[in-house]
Amino acid sequence: MFYGSWGRILEIDINKKTIRVIELPENIYDWFLGGRGLGAYFYTQYARPWDLPPLSAENPLIIATGPLTGTSAPTSGRATMTARSPLTKTIFTSNSGGLFGARLKFTGYDAVIILGKSAKPIYISINEKEIKIEDAASLWGKSTTDTTQKLKEQYTKTASVLSIGPAGENGVLFASVIADGARGFGRGGLGAVWGSKNLKALVVNGRKKPRIKAKDKLRSVLYEAHKAIKQNPVTSQALPELGTSFIMDVAYFEGALPIKNFSTNQFIGIERVGSAALQNEIMERKTSCWGCPIFCGRLSRDSDGNISEGPEFETIWALGPNLGINTLPLIQKLNRLSNEYGLDTISLGGVIAFAMEATEKGIRDFGVRFGEGEKIVDLIKKIAENRGIGQELKTGTANLAHKIGKEAEYFAINVKGMEFTGYDPRMIKGMAVCYATSNRGACHLQGGYSVGPEIFGLPRRIDPKQQIGKGTLVAKRQNDSAAEDSLIVCRFAGMSVLMENWSRILSAVTGKAYSAQTLSIIGERIYNLEKIINMKLGFSRKDDSLPPKLIEEHLGEEKIDLDTMLNEYYEFRGWNRKGIPTGTKLKELGLEEIL
Amino acid sequence: MKKIEKNIVEYFQKIGWAAYVAGLQDTHSGNMSMRIGSRMLITRRGSMLGFLNGHDIIELSLEKNDSGISLASSEVGIHRAIYKETNGLAIVHAHLINAVILSFIYKEIVPIDVEASYTIKKVPVLSFELGSGSKEMEEEIPKFLKNNKIVVIKGHGAIGLGETLEEALFYNSVLENSCKIIMGIHSLGKNPEEFTPKEINRGW
């Protein structure tokens, strides 16, 4: 008898139109938990060859829940999506909040594996009783909000809908998949993978609650977790009262908010895009994901008077100060348009910032300069609709820079093809290791989010400018993050709810004994598995790097000694100096059998 | 969020260092704040008071939360409540070892030395179910600081209130010295209450 998870996976071949239910052995859950762990595991089982083209029919798409999904654990409504990314060419797991994860879990399946390519546009619907592959001709070309609305009208308002917009249909390499018209599996261009399969949407509508082994114990350990959330000012006051936008103010205070494509950390009008401006000028009300007591989400009004989800910190930064823009209602409009088209706002901001710098430096004229906000509306449309200059910008910063030449690659702010987020690694040294080593490119979250201890002092503070010790710290946090992404829970909850708490919650749900240490080891196994997959896809130490601009241009007196931190990182991980996991490490983690 | 002026940072550094070298704080505990008009400056969560830098002093509103709340000491709510309910302008909270020891025994600490009996008089010992950063503490502590310069929280530490940080620190220092004296009397097998100055019992 399974607890927490169902032990059942759906395999749907949209080419052959076959549907199969797989009973997954319990030991796979023991080793990989769910979510991101299952995504990596299934990639090794289904991708043949491993280095298949990301936009080919053979690229398996794995949508997974975790053992805590849909339970009463805080922030347990999340789901993950894994495939080979067309943007980074790495294995890539994206993660979304909202309601979708819980709704999928309630159908009685832990994960859905989508194989093949349909000859014409389709969508899939799943409930406890039936799974259908339906014609999506009438939805093709529609925005994510329109698609969601139509499918909810057709099914039920309580259904949860994932969909792509025109960006995914048109192969934008940073197209996202939007959950219920609001939240996003944002990063890595998985929307383009959907588009390449002619997959427009996925509707899930279940009511079957997962079984809990020890309900009384769960109540008691959840009390501890909620108490931790209430006692921490970040999760009990800053996030609920200010939303994620407070990070803008804090990052700027620390001198770590990148401005104009990481050219400076000073910005006139920063207060116009900070948390106070968001609360006072555009916010309509708070929102929350399934099972989340924090309420960090926001509904806001944009410059056209439309009300929609967001903007979150990363979006405000990417489409605001990073582009020299300090008008919040405009930023929210850009955010809404991006969501409707199904674009990752972070990569979108990154590629436009790159185009602006290229234009200002006279290297290539993209017709847009820092601060020219209104031009971005048109750029978004061109990118998503694959028109004009959008045909180039849709390939992402790294591809575009490579096409222009070495001079442009100098300021192409990406790692492994993925654009950076809103933390300058020159001022937060742990983030240099996070960005450089993350298995999915320049990611702050799967990279280990060292901002927790380095800025917020959670769980304990460490000097953000110190370099020694950061490789070790980040590696440890990456392991824990991989476990969190497999449970699946939110990184913000993790600022208060520590691995000790999660392990007790998981033990109560599953009836199996977990500790913080065992969760960390599972996370390490998942991280190493992803690393091995990436190695087989051609990645090596040379890809664990940072853009030349961030290495060569100092910010004040701050510079990055990446090599030293990388050596420490590899050493702690039991990898050799080339960044390759040793046989001993793989044996220790039991991965040699799977590989 | 604003960068804090250099002279203010140096002031906090001086008080923080003094508290640390006087043994009033362990490496990471305690916090201190100053009221500045309708705002306050407070030490950062997890900062080492003996080694403060400019980023360790956080400015935020007395009335409502702004971004500073994400970095401020987790006991910021108590500081706010004290400023709202009293006329104090500066707070130093220290984890005084000897005061904490005595807090397990006494409901109030009555100094027997001249300096403390003159300066801080009887010091109430307050007990809370949740002894750190709770709503109950926010409600109760200001009531006692209206009539006392310093209070002790059972098993936790002391909160001194003054017009300046130095004054608030001074009350902590005086209390801790007084507690050492009381402990010394105990160690000689004597009852400190026998030595309580008459003025104290008369309720100075």
Side-chain angles (χ1 to χ4, degrees):
Chain A
M1 171 83 80
F2 275 89
Y3 292 94
S5 301
W6 297 114
R8 300 165 81 227
I9 309 292
L10 268 181
E11 180 199 282
I12 303 174
D13 190 320
I14 56 177
N15 176 35
K16 297 175 187 164
K17 303 281 188 285
T18 58
I19 295 161
R20 191 164 73 101
V21 176
I22 301 167
E23 305 284 338
L24 199 63
E26 204 166 348
N27 68 315
I28 300 298
Y29 291 93
D30 293 342
W31 276 46
F32 298 108
L33 294 175
R36 183 173 157 192
L38 279 186
Y41 168 73
F42 282 128
Y43 188 86
T44 65
Q45 303 302 301
Y46 281 91
R48 293 289 180 274
W50 281 15
D51 59 346
L52 43 77
L55 298 182
S56 68
E58 289 74 28
N59 193 5
L61 185 67
I62 302 124
I63 302 164
T65 63
L68 298 188
T69 309
T71 67
S72 46
T75 71
S76 61
R78 306 185 76 83
T80 60
M81 188 181 296
T82 302
R84 189 178 185 198
S85 160
L87 185 70
T88 65
K89 310 288 193 296
T90 62
I91 181 169
F92 200 104
T93 294
S94 193
N95 184 318
S96 173
L99 304 171
F100 174 81
R103 295 275 184 248
L104 171 59
K105 184 71 160 285
F106 295 166
T107 63
Y109 303 100
D110 297 323
V112 183
I113 302 166
I114 299 170
L115 305 171
K117 173 183 178 176
S118 172
K120 56 182 184 176
I122 51 115
Y123 72 90
I124 299 169
S125 75
I126 302 171
N127 64 34
E128 295 115 297
K129 294 175 185 162
E130 60 181 0
I131 298 105
K132 286 186 173 176
I133 301 172
E134 306 275 14
D135 181 70
S138 64
L139 298 172
W140 204 252
K142 291 200 181 302
S143 71
T144 59
T145 45
D146 286 349
T147 304
T148 302
Q149 192 182 343
K150 283 201 176 298
L151 288 172
K152 284 201 174 201
E153 280 168 8
Q154 188 177 331
Y155 287 84
T156 162
K157 278 187 181 175
T158 58
S160 193
V161 178
L162 297 189
S163 76
I164 59 167
E169 296 169 15
N170 291 319
V172 176
L173 295 192
F174 46 91
S176 55
V177 178
I178 301 293
D180 295 316
R183 300 274 168 167
F185 292 85
R187 310 226 65 193
L190 299 189
V193 175
W194 279 49
S196 72
K197 292 179 178 300
N198 278 327
L199 174 63
K200 177 68 180 178
L202 172 61
V203 189
V204 294
N205 183 27
R207 293 170 184 274
K208 202 172 157 185
K209 297 282 174 70
R211 287 186 286 259
I212 307 296
K213 178 67 176 178
K215 287 183 183 171
D216 286 345
K217 189 181 170 195
L218 181 60
R219 266 193 290 276
S220 144
V221 293
L222 285 180
Y223 173 76
E224 281 178 7
H226 283 281
K227 199 164 102 179
I229 288 171
K230 277 187 191 163
Q231 282 188 319
N232 181 333
V234 174
T235 50
S236 66
Q237 297 178 70
L239 283 166
E241 293 177 25
L242 308 171
T244 58
S245 62
F246 81 89
I247 302 171
M248 177 79 71
D249 307 327
V250 173
Y252 191 76
F253 173 72
E254 293 287 348
L257 189 76
I259 310 294
K260 297 182 181 175
N261 205 33
F262 291 73
S263 296
T264 173
N265 58 2
Q266 300 299 313
F267 188 55
I268 294 169
I270 187 69
E271 67 285 352
R272 296 181 63 195
V273 292
S275 63
L278 190 141
Q279 312 305 312
N280 299 333
E281 292 174 23
I282 66 168
M283 179 182 140
E284 288 291 316
R285 67 178 171 85
K286 298 178 186 179
T287 64
S288 172
C289 298
W290 164 274
C292 181
I294 299 173
F295 278 77
C296 73
R298 294 292 181 269
L299 276 182
S300 305
R301 185 182 296 273
D302 66 28
S303 53
D304 290 345
N306 293 302
I307 295 170
S308 58
E309 188 94 5
E312 302 294 332
F313 157 64
E314 291 293 353
T315 298
I316 302 173
W317 163 76
L319 299 176
N322 199 37
L323 304 182
I325 293 169
N326 61 11
T327 318
L328 210 40
L330 173 64
I331 293 169
Q332 174 59 355
K333 178 180 175 177
L334 303 178
N335 177 48
R336 177 177 57 80
L337 275 177
S338 301
N339 283 345
E340 287 183 357
Y341 277 114
L343 286 166
D344 169 20
T345 51
I346 302 173
S347 283
L348 172 71
V351 74
I352 295 176
F354 167 81
M356 288 172 163
E357 185 164 351
T359 304
E360 294 205 346
K361 284 188 164 157
I363 292 171
R364 168 78 193 276
D365 188 357
F366 287 94
V368 63
R369 292 168 178 269
F370 288 112
E372 296 182 332
E374 284 303 331
K375 287 188 179 176
I376 298 170
V377 173
D378 184 50
L379 277 184
I380 288 175
K381 290 177 181 172
K382 283 181 172 159
I383 290 169
E385 292 166 4
N386 195 24
R387 289 189 288 112
I389 205 168
Q391 291 174 312
E392 286 188 286
L393 294 175
K394 79 165 195 176
T395 62
T397 304
N399 290 320
L400 192 53
H402 184 69
K403 191 176 160 191
I404 297 171
K406 209 158 187 64
E407 205 180 357
E409 285 181 317
Y410 174 81
F411 57 88
I413 307 297
N414 77 97
V415 173
K416 301 182 181 80
M418 190 153 88
E419 290 78 4
F420 275 50
T421 53
Y423 305 96
D424 196 314
R426 290 168 290 191
M427 300 301 280
I428 314 174
K429 296 298 193 305
M431 288 306 293
V433 189
C434 291
Y435 286 133
T437 60
S438 164
N439 281 329
R440 65 175 201 170
C443 176
H444 58 308
L445 294 175
Q446 293 187 13
Y449 201 55
S450 63
V451 171
E454 291 185 288
I455 300 298
F456 294 115
L458 299 170
R460 274 285 158 199
R461 193 142 173 252
I462 185 167
D463 182 354
K465 290 171 185 164
Q466 168 191 327
Q467 310 213 46
I468 301 294
K470 293 294 171 63
T472 306
L473 176 79
V474 166
K476 197 266 177 192
R477 290 180 65 84
Q478 287 176 342
N479 294 342
D480 290 350
S481 298
E484 285 181 336
D485 291 341
S486 303
L487 287 170
I488 309 162
V489 290
C490 172
R491 209 65 92 239
F492 284 136
M495 286 182 159
S496 299
V497 184
L498 305 179
M499 295 306 277
E500 288 81 359
N501 301 99
W502 293 127
S503 66
R504 285 197 282 272
I505 293 170
L506 184 63
S507 300
V509 167
T510 61
K512 295 181 178 181
Y514 289 93
S515 65
Q517 182 69 16
T518 53
L519 278 186
S520 200
I521 291 169
I522 293 170
E524 185 181 11
R525 179 179 300 122
I526 294 164
Y527 205 88
N528 275 266
L529 179 57
E530 291 173 339
K531 179 72 181 178
I532 293 291
I533 294 169
N534 281 346
M535 276 171 47
K536 296 201 174 185
L537 296 176
F539 290 86
S540 64
R541 176 169 181 149
K542 71 173 168 38
D543 302 294
D544 289 350
S545 60
L546 292 172
K549 179 174 177 176
L550 302 188
I551 298 289
E552 291 176 26
E553 292 180 15
H554 303 173
L555 204 55
E557 294 174 1
E558 294 305 320
K559 57 181 180 178
I560 298 168
D561 178 5
L562 184 61
D563 265 350
T564 303
M565 289 193 285
L566 270 187
N567 288 340
E568 179 191 314
Y569 171 89
Y570 292 148
E571 198 174 305
F572 176 79
R573 280 213 167 280
W575 297 354
N576 67 23
R577 282 287 169 102
K578 292 179 180 172
I580 298 170
T582 58
T584 311
K585 175 53 71 178
L586 295 184
K587 193 172 177 186
E588 179 190 316
L589 296 171
L591 285 175
E592 53 184 4
E593 293 169 24
I594 289 173
L595 301 169
Chain B
M1 293 176 66
K2 287 187 213 154
K3 293 272 190 306
I4 308 302
E5 280 176 31
K6 192 179 168 205
N7 58 346
I8 294 287
V9 173
E10 287 172 352
Y11 182 40
F12 270 78
Q13 286 172 330
K14 176 182 151 188
I15 302 300
W17 174 248
Y20 179 62
V21 295
L24 305 180
Q25 301 284 18
D26 62 39
T27 54
H28 285 74
S29 63
N31 43 64
M32 48 192 188
S33 71
M34 279 174 71
R35 179 172 181 166
I36 311 284
S38 62
R39 300 182 70 75
M40 66 191 280
L41 300 176
I42 188 166
T43 48
R44 188 168 176 152
R45 189 177 55 252
S47 58
M48 298 171 76
L49 295 198
F51 303 90
L52 293 171
N53 63 46
H55 282 208
D56 288 330
I57 318 296
I58 307 300
E59 180 177 344
L60 74 169
S61 163
L62 273 183
E63 295 300 324
K64 58 176 187 174
N65 282 337
D66 49 37
S67 299
I69 192 69
S70 65
L71 301 181
S73 161
S74 55
E75 284 169 333
V76 62
I78 296 170
H79 288 245
R80 273 181 172 154
I82 292 169
Y83 289 131
K84 280 181 194 167
E85 298 292 324
T86 73
N87 57 4
L89 302 179
I91 296 166
V92 172
H93 165 48
H95 290 193
L96 311 176
I97 296 172
N98 291 290
V100 168
I101 293 171
L102 294 183
S103 76
F104 289 109
I105 299 167
Y106 297 118
K107 290 189 175 171
E108 60 181 8
I109 296 171
V110 183
I112 58 173
D113 61 300
V114 173
E115 177 73 29
S117 57
Y118 178 76
T119 310
I120 54 176
K121 304 178 182 67
K122 289 181 184 177
V123 178
V125 175
L126 312 177
S127 180
F128 300 100
E129 192 181 335
L130 194 62
S132 175
S134 67
K135 286 283 173 207
E136 188 191 6
M137 290 170 79
E138 290 175 22
E139 285 167 13
E140 292 300 313
I141 290 171
K143 291 180 192 169
F144 286 86
L145 282 171
K146 283 180 179 172
N147 298 310
N148 295 277
K149 294 180 164 63
I150 188 164
V151 297
V152 173
I153 302 157
K154 186 179 175 184
H156 181 160
I159 295 180
L161 179 67
E163 290 188 348
T164 65
L165 282 177
E166 193 159 335
E167 184 187 352
L169 173 68
F170 174 56
Y171 298 143
N172 277 273
S173 177
V174 166
L175 172 62
E176 181 62 356
N177 267 3
S178 188
C179 290
K180 282 180 192 166
I181 290 165
I182 293 170
M183 296 283 289
I185 297 290
H186 273 297
S187 71
L188 294 171
K190 302 285 186 182
N191 181 0
E193 288 172 23
E194 292 174 21
F195 303 94
T196 306
K198 287 176 184 170
E199 291 83 350
I200 289 273
N201 282 335
R202 281 190 205 127
W204 257 2

